[in-house]
Each structure stands twice: as structure tokens, then as C-alpha cells.
Amino acid sequence: MAKIQLISAPLDENSILAYEQGIFAPLGLIWVGTYLKNAGHEIEIIDGQHNSVAEIIRRLNAPLVGLSFNIASSDSLDKIVASAKEKGSTVVVGGQAATPLA
């Protein structure tokens, strides 16, 4: 089965740091990752709350990359998507802001 990286995009550089008040696990990605792992895929979840855009880009190496983002991380999302595509990955994007920005 395929290796899949699931990524929660970090907040954009000039965003208000909403995460300063605590640590919030990317539960949606964990749910999807668990389902895919049970289907036999190799899963890596990269949390943008704890990894910079540069670190995420450095770690990209899967043929399939799934990204979750919100309205305060759209610039980060764009950078990660562009890099993943340059590396030959198929990219799937979701999250609370995906539908209104589509």
C-alpha cells in the first residue's frame, strides 16, 4: 500500500497565534489516518502547530499528501502544496476553509 502524509498547515506568519493557549491535536487528520492505516497504508501525520512550513516542506516525500488548513493558514497551505507538487505528490486539500475558498 501507499505512503500517505497528512499535514495540518501551520498558521501564517502574520496570523494571531490562536494556539498559544494550549495544544490541540489535529483530530480530523488522526481520524482519517487511523482509517487509512487500518486499510493497510503507511501514514505519517505532521502537525503544523509543532512544525514550521520549512520543516514540513523538508519532510515531504510521499506520493499522496493530504492537507488540512483553516483561513489563518492559507498562505502556509499554498507554500506546502506548491512544494509537494514540485516533488511529484498528488495533493488533496480539506478543512474548514476548503469549501468557501474552492
Side-chain angles (χ1 to χ4, degrees):
M1 293 288 181
K3 177 177 182 180
I4 302 170
Q5 289 177 306
L6 301 175
I7 301 165
S8 173
L11 292 177
D12 297 336
E13 285 186 27
N14 296 320
S15 292
I16 297 170
L17 297 177
Y19 296 136
E20 287 181 334
Q21 303 303 316
I23 296 182
F24 305 96
L27 297 178
L29 294 183
I30 293 169
W31 181 85
V32 171
T34 300
Y35 177 84
L36 293 170
K37 184 176 181 179
N38 288 338
H41 297 281
E42 179 186 346
I43 303 301
E44 179 183 15
I45 296 175
I46 304 173
D47 187 354
Q49 185 177 355
H50 303 288
N51 294 278
S52 67
V53 171
E55 174 64 15
I56 292 170
I57 289 171
R58 186 189 67 73
R59 292 174 61 179
L60 289 173
N61 63 4
L64 180 60
V65 173
L67 284 137
S68 176
F69 77 109
N70 61 47
I71 198 67
S73 60
S74 58
D75 290 341
S76 296
L77 171 81
D78 291 342
K79 292 173 186 172
I80 296 166
V81 167
S83 182
K85 287 183 176 184
E86 284 177 15
K87 293 181 179 193
S89 300
T90 299
V91 177
V92 178
V93 176
Q96 70 181 34
T99 299
L101 290 178

